[in-house]
Amino acid sequence: MDKFVDILESKVLPVATKIGSQRHMTAIRKGIIATMPLTIVGSFFTILLNLPIESLALMIEPYKAILDVPFRFTVGILSLYATFGIASSLAKSYKLDSLTSGILAVLAFLVATVVPVQVVDPIDGVITAGRYINIASLSSASLFGAIVTSIISVEIYRFMKEKNITVKMPDGVPPEVSNSFIALLPAAVILILFWVIRHMLGFDISSALSTVLMPLKNTLAGNSLFGGLLTVFLITFFWVLGIHGPAIMGPVIRPFWDISIAENTDAFVAGVDANHLPNIFTEQFLQWFVWIGGAGTTLALVVLFLFSKSEYLKSLGRLSFLPGLFNINEPIIFGAPIVMNPILGIPFIVAPLVTTTLSYFLTVTGVVPMMMARLPFTVISPIAAWMSTNWSIMAGVLVVINFFIALAIYYPFFKVFEKQQIDRELEAKAAEATE
């Protein structure tokens, strides 16, 4: 193990450091980390809204609409916050006005992402006539769009300022006023550019990605191990790139997942044994056997963070443990971050591939049954697997085994990342001491 860690430090770390220190990558990382308080607070409201205890669920049912508001304005519009954070961070690296850059990026993101809906016929008590936007388009599903629009808008602003294509104010004008006028022409260019792309040409990044993936839909669902592994790989790979994997893959796979679990449930009700149901790769199979703590099996990484020598990682582990226990991992994905992180991105992809393969063969051989029920995603994984496989103890045991497999896979990469983080903390303390 130590030798493997040494290899990672000597071969992987230099490349990862070079990539991680690149200006745009750094801005993306800092901008996403800045959203961490929102994802943590929003995650706890998600747990509250998805309590697996029926009596408590019935108790909060009348208040669900109100309790949903904090989630919608935190995690629900996460990409909007990330846009501002990424642009502000990138602007600082160029020594541009970060506030102006952040506002221009938000403009670009909204124009490129949101298509207002015109309501002509109002519905009494529900909606009035007017133009509305769907805040779902501002969620983490649009994070890739946030990254692209942030970078492009800042680069346009930088280019126009360097080439003096701006409105200049006389000397003596307050900086905040001067910066506002400097941004006039860049704002016009950014607005027109993204307006043409989205509303004139009708080009949408998320839709384009879904279209590219459509030919794969027959391969990614069913009983094929290759299809299951490909699904897991694409979801985790997109997450590492900063794209909401389930949001991208969902339009392609979810209809087939829904059909699969419905067929399993119907067969089980009809008397078919849980070991002989029609479908293996339901969404529940991945949810309980593979996504332990969320996509990437990140609960294992959270546990490693809890025992880290790095102050930041230990604190992040503590904050992420309870959400992770209920399969909510935005705090660890965006807090570490795993997004755009070449060190943690590798086990984030590899660990689920290994546990998917093991779970598949144990299902095929009849050691564990197939999924016959659909439970809320916030149920703790071993309990959910136990319940969803007609109370199979072996299903719960498999979850525990998969957790420890993921822990072993994450460990060497965690040690490399921990060392890197400790070095940063020591440098920061040394810098503070010299001030």
Side-chain angles (χ1 to χ4, degrees):
M1 182 64 71
D2 291 338
K3 185 176 180 180
F4 184 47
V5 172
D6 292 338
I7 292 174
L8 286 173
E9 289 182 353
S10 61
K11 303 295 183 182
V12 178
L13 186 57
V15 177
T17 301
K18 187 174 181 179
I19 295 173
S21 60
Q22 198 274 334
R23 186 191 303 271
H24 299 89
M25 297 286 285
T26 300
I28 293 169
R29 183 171 62 250
K30 288 183 177 180
I32 292 174
I33 288 177
T35 66
M36 185 175 63
L38 305 179
T39 61
I40 291 174
V41 174
S43 295
F44 283 106
F45 278 92
T46 303
I47 295 172
L48 183 61
L49 284 167
N50 293 274
L51 290 172
I53 303 173
E54 186 176 357
S55 59
L56 294 178
L58 291 173
M59 187 183 301
I60 67 171
E61 182 67 31
Y63 311 102
K64 264 199 167 184
I66 297 174
L67 292 172
D68 186 55
V69 171
F71 172 80
R72 295 300 168 189
F73 285 95
T74 52
V75 180
I77 55 173
L78 182 67
S79 290
L80 188 63
Y81 301 120
T83 301
F84 188 90
I86 294 168
S88 298
S89 179
L90 182 58
K92 287 180 181 178
S93 73
Y94 283 128
K95 295 183 170 36
L96 298 172
D97 182 63
S98 60
L99 179 60
T100 300
S101 299
I103 291 174
L104 292 179
V106 169
L107 167 68
F109 173 68
L110 289 174
V111 173
T113 305
V114 177
V115 178
V117 177
Q118 181 70 50
V119 175
V120 178
D121 300 320
I123 301 174
D124 291 340
V126 178
I127 193 170
T128 58
R131 301 194 81 189
Y132 295 85
I133 65 173
N134 182 3
I135 66 170
S137 59
L138 308 179
S139 68
S140 55
S142 299
L143 188 57
F144 187 71
I147 293 171
V148 171
T149 52
S150 298
I151 292 174
I152 292 177
S153 60
V154 172
E155 291 296 343
I156 290 174
Y157 179 41
R158 179 181 69 88
F159 175 81
M160 296 185 70
K161 187 175 181 181
E162 288 180 352
K163 300 300 181 181
N164 293 319
I165 311 174
T166 58
V167 177
K168 294 184 178 180
M169 298 298 290
D171 294 337
V173 175
E176 58 271 18
V177 177
S178 178
N179 287 330
S180 297
F181 277 90
I182 289 173
L184 275 175
L185 292 180
V189 171
I190 291 168
L191 173 61
I192 293 171
L193 173 65
F194 287 103
W195 170 65
V196 169
I197 291 173
R198 183 67 182 94
H199 300 272
M200 298 293 287
L201 300 179
F203 181 79
D204 179 72
I205 295 173
S206 296
S207 296
L209 284 171
S210 295
T211 301
V212 170
L213 293 171
M214 279 302 290
L216 299 174
K217 67 180 181 180
N218 293 326
T219 307
L220 301 178
N223 292 324
S224 166
L225 176 59
F226 172 76
L229 291 176
L230 185 57
T231 300
V232 169
F233 171 78
L234 289 174
I235 290 175
T236 52
F237 180 70
F238 281 134
W239 263 122
V240 171
L241 291 181
I243 309 171
H244 192 289
I248 296 298
M249 299 299 296
V252 178
I253 302 177
R254 187 162 301 283
F256 296 93
W257 275 343
D258 290 344
I259 292 171
S260 295
I261 191 62
E263 289 176 350
N264 281 9
T265 303
D266 290 344
F268 182 77
V269 172
V272 178
D273 182 79
N275 287 95
H276 300 92
L277 299 176
N279 305 295
I280 295 175
F281 283 109
T282 61
E283 182 180 11
Q284 291 67 37
F285 177 92
L286 297 180
Q287 179 68 62
W288 308 132
F289 290 151
V290 182
W291 303 144
I292 304 169
T297 322
T298 49
L299 185 60
L301 183 61
V302 170
V303 171
L304 290 173
F305 276 14
L306 285 172
F307 298 95
S308 175
K309 297 177 183 178
S310 162
E311 296 177 5
Y312 174 73
L313 297 184
K314 181 176 286 189
S315 298
L316 180 60
R318 290 170 179 169
L319 290 170
S320 303
F321 179 73
L322 189 57
L325 196 62
F326 292 94
N327 307 305
I328 299 167
N329 65 347
E330 278 84 358
I332 195 73
I333 286 179
F334 299 123
I338 293 173
V339 173
M340 296 295 183
N341 188 328
I343 297 175
L344 296 181
I346 295 174
F348 183 84
I349 295 173
V350 172
L353 293 176
V354 173
T355 54
T356 297
T357 303
L358 175 62
S359 302
Y360 171 81
F361 282 111
L362 290 180
T363 303
V364 169
T365 55
V367 176
V368 296
M370 299 179 195
M371 299 291 167
M372 40 65 66
R374 184 190 307 224
L375 296 177
F377 76 95
T378 49
V379 181
I380 298 174
S381 292
I383 297 174
W386 171 55
M387 296 172 65
S388 298
T389 53
N390 193 28
W391 312 102
S392 169
I393 296 296
M394 286 306 301
V397 172
L398 176 58
V399 174
V400 176
I401 292 172
N402 283 344
F403 169 80
F404 282 104
I405 289 173
L407 194 76
I409 293 172
Y410 268 109
Y411 180 76
F413 296 92
F414 156 73
K415 294 301 292 183
V416 173
F417 184 67
E418 179 188 49
K419 183 177 183 300
Q420 189 180 54
Q421 187 61 38
I422 290 173
D423 290 342
R424 288 175 182 168
E425 292 174 3
L426 292 175
E427 289 176 5
K429 289 180 181 179
E432 290 178 1
T434 57
E435 291 180 355

